[in-house]
C-alpha cells in the first residue's frame, strides 16, 4: 500500500512519550492502524530508533528496508490484532515484524490472522540455563580444556551435522513429542521437563504438515549449535539482585558457574517458515487480505493455511527443544569428562528454557475482558508473573525465570516475570541486546584480531568455527544489554534477578 512520504518531524509528531521508558505510536502513523503501537526504550536506545526512522525519511524504502517503528505500526494494522502492538528495548528491523515485536490476535475474531513474520525464520530460537555447583576458582585452571571439550562435543557452524544418531523415524517422533522424545531416548533428565516453557512440547504438532524438504534439512542437524548469534557459553554469577528468587533457581552465590545454550530449529524451522510464507501469499489473494507490507504475509487463523502453519510451527518448536536437550546432554558429558565427575554430582540441573520466536494460544485480559489470544513473540521472551498456572511449582512465588543472553564477551541476565508485564505486554519482555549494526557493516568495520584480543584481555576463552563470525557477533555490533535490561526493569515489565559474565564462548 503506497504511503505518502513525510518528513522526520512529521513522522515523530505521531509519537508521544508516556513515561521515561514508554512511548506510544498513535493511529495514523501508517494506514489502517487498528490499535496503537508502544515501544519501551530509554533515551539512548530511543536515539537508535530515531536514526533508523530518519534514514528512512531521507532515503525511502531502499531494498525493502523499513525502520522498526514502521514495522511495529504495520503490525498494528493486521486483521484481528487487539490491545496494542508492542516493541521491547532490544527492538530492531526484521522481516515483516520487527525483531522484539509482540502482538496478539483474538482467537474468536474470524478475521484474525497468523503471520510467520511474527515468529521468524528460526522458530523457537531460545535459551536455556544450566547451573552447576562449581565455582570460578575451580574452573579457571581448566578453562581452556573445558572450552575445547565443549567445542569438541557440540557440533557448530553452518554446515554442522549432529553426532546423536537420528533416523527418519526418530525425527518424525521428535517433531511430535518434543522433549518427551529426548527423555525417552536418555538425552534429557526427567526433571528438566518441569523447567521448560510448554514443558518442552507443543501438543498441536503434526509432522505431516512439515514438508519433505524441511525434514531433509533437519535430519542431519539434530543436536547442533549452528551459526549466527547462537552459542554455548560458560558463565559465572557476577551479581545477585533478588536473593530469594535466585535461590529458588539453585543460584546461591557470586562466583557460581553456569552454562547458557542459545540455539533454535536450524534449517528445519527456516524451511517451515519459507514454505508457509509461499502458501499464505496465495491465501491472502484468495481471501482478500491486505497488509501494509508484503513481508507481513498471513492467513486467517482458522483457514487451512493458518492451521497448517501452526501445526508445522509446533513441530519446529519441538525440534528446537530436542536440539537444546541434545546439546545439554553433550555439555554435561564435556563437563563430566573434564572434571571426572558425573553430571549429577556437578548439580547440572536445568534452571529454565525459554522461547524467543514463537506464537502460542494464551489467555489475557484485554480492556477488562478475558480473551483467548494467539500471541506472536518475535525476538521477545514470555515473562509470566508469580502465581501464573503455566509456570513451574518451583517458581510460583518468584515469577517465571527469563533468560537474557548478552553478546559475545558481555554479560547476560536472568530476570523474572511481573504482574505489570502481564498487564502491559501480554506477559512479555526483551530477549537480548538487539543488533545496532548489520552483519555486513560489522564485518567491514571490525578487525578479527582486535575482537579476539579484547576477549582475551577480559579473560574469556573462545572457540569459533568461522572467523568472520567473530566480527559479526562482536559486542560493538549490538546494543548494550544492560541498558536493555535496565529499561525493562525500570518499566516494571520484568525484574532483575541475576547477572552473569562469560568465561568461555563456543560459537559457529
Amino acid at each position: 500500500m503506497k504511503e505518502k512520504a513525510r518528513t522526520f518531524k512529521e513522522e515523530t509528531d505521531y509519537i508521544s512519550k508516556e513515561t521515561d521508558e514508554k512511548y506510544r505510536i498513535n493511529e495514523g502513523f501508517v494506514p489502517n492502524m487498528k490499535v496503537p503501537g508502544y515501544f519501551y526504550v530509554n533515551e539512548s536506545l530511543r536515539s537508535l530508533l530515531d536514526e533508523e526512522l530518519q534514514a528512512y525519511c531521507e532515503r525511502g524504502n531502499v531494498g525493502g528496508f523499513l525502520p522498526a517503528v514502521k514495522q511495529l505500526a504495520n503490525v498494528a494494522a493486521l486483521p484481528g490484532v487487539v490491545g496494542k502492538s508492542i516493541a521491547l528495548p532490544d527492538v530492531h528491523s526484521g522481516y515483516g515484524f520487527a525483531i522484539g515485536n509482540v502482538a496478539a490476535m483474538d482467537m474468536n475474531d474470524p478475521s484474525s490472522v497468523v503471520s510467520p513474520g511474527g515468529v521468524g525464520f528460526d522458530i523457537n530460537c531460545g535459551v536455556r540455563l544450566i547451573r552447576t555447583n562449581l565455582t570460578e576458582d575451580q574452573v579457571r585452571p581448566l578453562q581452556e580444556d573445558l572450552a575445547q571439550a565443549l567445542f569438541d562435543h557440540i557440533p557448530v557452524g553452518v554446515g554442522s551435522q549432529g553426532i546423536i544418531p537420528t533416523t527418519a523415524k526418530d525425527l518424525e517422533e521428535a517433531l511430535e513429542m518434543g522433549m518427551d522424545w529426548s527423555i525417552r531416548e536418555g538425552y534429557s533428565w526427567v526433571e528438566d521437563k518441569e523447567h521448560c516453557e510448554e514443558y518442552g512440547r507443543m501438543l498441536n504438532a503434526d509432522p505431516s504438515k512439515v514438508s519433505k524438504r524441511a525434514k531433509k534439512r533437519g535430519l542431519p542437524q539434530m543436536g547442533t549449535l549452528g551459526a549466527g548469534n547462537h552459542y554455548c557459553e560458560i558463565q559465572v554469577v557476577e551479581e545477585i539482585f533478588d536473593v530469594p528468587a535466585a535461590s529458588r533457581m539453585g543460584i546461591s552465590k557470586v562466583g557460581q558457574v553456569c552454562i547458557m545454550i542459545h540455539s533454535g530449529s536450524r534449517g528445519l524451522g527456516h524451511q517451515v517458515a519459507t514454505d508457509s510464507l509461499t502458501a499464505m501469499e496465495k491465501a491472502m489473494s484468495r481471501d482478500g487480505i491486505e497488509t501494509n507490507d508484503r513481508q507481513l504475509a498471513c492467513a486467517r487463523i482458522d483457514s487451512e493455511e493458518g492451521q497448517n502453519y501452526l501445526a508445522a510451527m509446533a513441530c519446529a518448536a519441538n525440534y528446537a527443544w530436542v536440539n537444546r536437550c541434545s546439546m545439554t546432554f553433550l555439555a554435561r558429558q564435556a563437563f563430566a569428562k573434564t572434571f571426572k565427575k558425573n553430571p549429577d554430582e556437578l548439580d547440572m540441573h536445568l534452571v529454565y528454557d525459554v522461547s524467543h520466536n514463537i506464537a502460542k494460544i494464551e489467555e489475557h485480559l484485554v480492556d477488562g475482558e478475558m480473551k483467548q489470544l494467539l500471541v506472536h513473540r518475535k525476538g521477545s521472551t514470555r515473562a509470566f508473573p508469580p502465581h501464573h498456572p503455566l509456570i513451574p511449582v518451583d517458581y510460583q512465588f518468584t515469577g517465571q525465570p527469563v533468560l537474557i543472553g548478552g553478546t559475545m564477551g558481555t554479560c547476560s541476565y536472568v530476570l523474572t516475570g511481573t504482574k505489570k508485564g502481564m498487564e502491559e505486554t501480554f506477559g512479555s519482555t526483551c530477549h537480548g541486546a538487539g543488533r545496532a549494526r548489520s552483519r555486513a557493516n560489522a564485518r567491514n568495520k571490525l578487525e578479527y584480531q582486535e575482537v579476539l584480543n579484547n576477549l582475551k584481555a577480559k579473560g574469556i576463552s573462545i572457540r569459533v568455527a568461522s572467523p568472520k563470525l567473530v566480527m559479526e557477533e562482536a559486542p560493538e555490533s549490538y546494543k548494550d544489554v544492560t541498558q536493555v535490561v535496565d529499561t525493562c526493569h525500570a518499566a516494571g515489565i520484568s525484574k532483575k534477578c541475576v547477572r552473569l559474565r562469560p568465561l568461555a564462548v563456543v560459537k559457529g
Side-chain angles (χ1 to χ4, degrees):
M1 189 173 291
K2 188 69 175 171
E3 186 182 343
K4 183 184 175 184
R6 292 194 294 240
T7 66
F8 177 66
K9 169 68 170 61
E10 288 171 329
E11 294 282 23
T12 53
D13 282 345
Y14 285 91
I15 300 173
S16 55
K17 184 175 182 178
E18 296 209 343
T19 71
D20 285 344
E21 297 84 25
K22 182 179 175 184
Y23 293 79
R24 174 182 170 123
I25 303 176
N26 296 302
E27 287 89 336
F29 187 65
V30 299
N32 305 317
M33 285 178 69
K34 298 170 177 62
V35 296
Y38 282 92
F39 58 91
Y40 292 80
V41 289
N42 64 13
E43 200 170 317
S44 175
L45 297 172
R46 167 74 197 268
S47 68
L48 291 172
L49 293 181
D50 283 347
E51 286 171 19
E52 233 185 26
L53 181 59
Q54 189 156 16
Y56 169 79
C57 292
E58 291 170 359
R59 297 197 300 266
N61 188 356
V62 178
F65 164 79
L66 280 176
V69 288
K70 284 286 183 183
Q71 293 186 315
L72 174 68
N74 283 336
V75 169
L78 286 174
V81 67
V82 296
K84 63 195 85 167
S85 174
I86 301 155
L88 288 316
D90 49 342
V91 65
H92 56 286
S93 181
Y95 183 92
F97 279 58
I99 296 166
N101 198 171
V102 177
M105 313 300 173
D106 187 347
M107 291 293 295
N108 293 315
D109 181 345
S111 73
S112 287
V113 297
V114 57
S115 175
V119 173
F121 284 90
D122 192 1
I123 296 166
N124 192 9
C125 177
V127 172
R128 61 172 43 195
L129 186 70
I130 303 137
R131 69 176 189 243
T132 77
N133 55 20
L134 296 165
T135 65
E136 181 177 7
D137 289 342
Q138 291 172 299
V139 169
R140 277 292 183 194
L142 295 168
Q143 183 175 325
E144 290 296 334
D145 293 341
L146 194 53
Q148 189 61 46
L150 284 171
F151 192 69
D152 290 341
H153 277 72
I154 299 174
V156 302
V158 176
S160 55
Q161 296 204 352
I163 59 173
I164 290 176
T166 313
T167 65
K169 182 173 180 291
D170 289 328
L171 179 64
E172 291 281 332
E173 292 174 349
L175 293 179
E176 183 177 352
M177 296 172 65
M179 203 167 175
D180 288 336
W181 181 87
S182 298
I183 292 169
R184 188 190 75 184
E185 298 298 316
Y187 297 123
S188 192
W189 297 352
V190 174
E191 55 266 38
D192 289 349
K193 182 178 176 178
E194 177 71 14
H195 287 178
C196 187
E197 192 171 326
E198 293 293 310
Y199 303 102
R201 179 179 184 179
M202 292 193 77
L203 298 174
N204 61 317
D206 182 352
S208 71
K209 305 304 181 186
V210 178
S211 70
K212 288 181 180 178
R213 177 162 174 73
K215 291 173 183 174
K216 184 179 179 181
R217 292 182 67 180
L219 184 59
Q221 293 182 335
M222 189 80 80
T224 64
L225 191 64
N229 62 349
H230 297 157
Y231 58 80
C232 175
E233 203 166 89
I234 303 168
Q235 301 176 339
V236 60
V237 175
E238 188 172 54
E239 187 171 0
I240 298 175
F241 305 100
D242 186 338
V243 172
S247 179
R248 293 301 302 164
M249 299 174 199
I251 298 173
S252 58
K253 59 190 175 184
V254 171
Q256 184 175 344
V257 169
C258 299
I259 304 106
M260 186 174 277
I261 296 174
H262 177 206
S263 191
S265 50
R266 306 287 278 110
L268 182 138
H270 196 284
Q271 193 62 46
V272 165
T274 302
D275 293 340
S276 300
L277 286 167
T278 303
M280 287 186 180
E281 284 179 0
K282 295 176 182 175
M284 288 174 69
S285 177
R286 180 194 67 211
D287 295 339
I289 301 171
E290 291 187 359
T291 62
N292 290 343
D293 179 5
R294 68 181 303 272
Q295 291 185 356
L296 287 171
C298 54
R300 308 275 185 227
I301 293 173
D302 59 1
S303 70
E304 182 180 356
E305 293 82 4
Q307 290 298 302
N308 286 351
Y309 171 71
L310 289 172
M313 183 209 69
C315 288
N318 288 344
Y319 179 98
W321 279 311
V322 169
N323 199 33
R324 293 198 285 276
C325 286
S326 300
M327 284 184 283
T328 301
F329 170 80
L330 296 170
R332 284 169 172 160
Q333 297 304 307
F335 268 72
K337 179 180 177 181
T338 303
F339 290 96
K340 297 179 172 54
K341 290 184 177 180
N342 69 51
D344 195 44
E345 287 179 286
L346 296 171
D347 191 35
M348 297 186 73
H349 285 82
L350 183 64
V351 173
Y352 206 60
D353 179 303
V354 295
S355 307
H356 289 164
N357 290 349
I358 206 158
K360 290 192 296 188
I361 298 171
E362 299 171 359
E363 289 189 340
H364 291 271
L365 272 174
V366 180
D367 298 327
E369 182 183 350
M370 189 63 75
K371 288 180 177 279
Q372 192 176 51
L373 307 176
L374 180 66
V375 182
H376 296 67
R377 291 190 183 93
K378 180 180 180 179
S380 58
T381 315
R382 193 187 77 174
F384 282 175
H387 313 300
H388 194 286
L390 293 182
I391 60 175
V393 172
D394 289 349
Y395 304 134
Q396 278 293 306
F397 291 106
T398 62
Q400 177 205 309
V402 179
L403 309 175
I404 308 299
T407 60
M408 188 173 62
T410 66
C411 58
S412 297
Y413 285 86
V414 182
L415 315 178
T416 50
T418 65
K419 183 174 181 287
K420 188 175 182 184
M422 200 68 183
E423 294 166 353
E424 287 197 11
T425 62
F426 301 110
S428 311
T429 192
C430 61
H431 86 304
R435 292 197 76 89
R437 173 181 277 157
S438 72
R439 296 184 191 279
N441 185 277
R443 288 196 299 271
N444 293 334
K445 296 285 175 67
L446 299 171
E447 290 292 333
Y448 169 64
Q449 196 57 50
E450 182 185 352
V451 176
L452 288 184
N453 290 343
N454 288 340
L455 292 172
K456 188 176 180 181
K458 295 177 182 177
I460 300 168
S461 303
I462 181 167
R463 297 294 186 277
V464 63
S466 167
K468 75 173 183 178
L469 202 68
V470 173
M471 290 88 78
E472 290 178 5
E473 298 303 318
E476 295 88 345
S477 302
Y478 286 84
K479 299 174 185 176
D480 181 346
V481 68
T482 297
Q483 285 199 41
V484 169
V485 165
D486 284 350
T487 301
C488 292
H489 181 85
I493 58 174
S494 53
K495 182 181 177 186
K496 289 195 295 186
C497 183
V498 176
R499 183 174 70 238
L500 307 112
R501 59 178 165 83
L503 295 180
V505 186
V506 174
K507 292 187 72 74

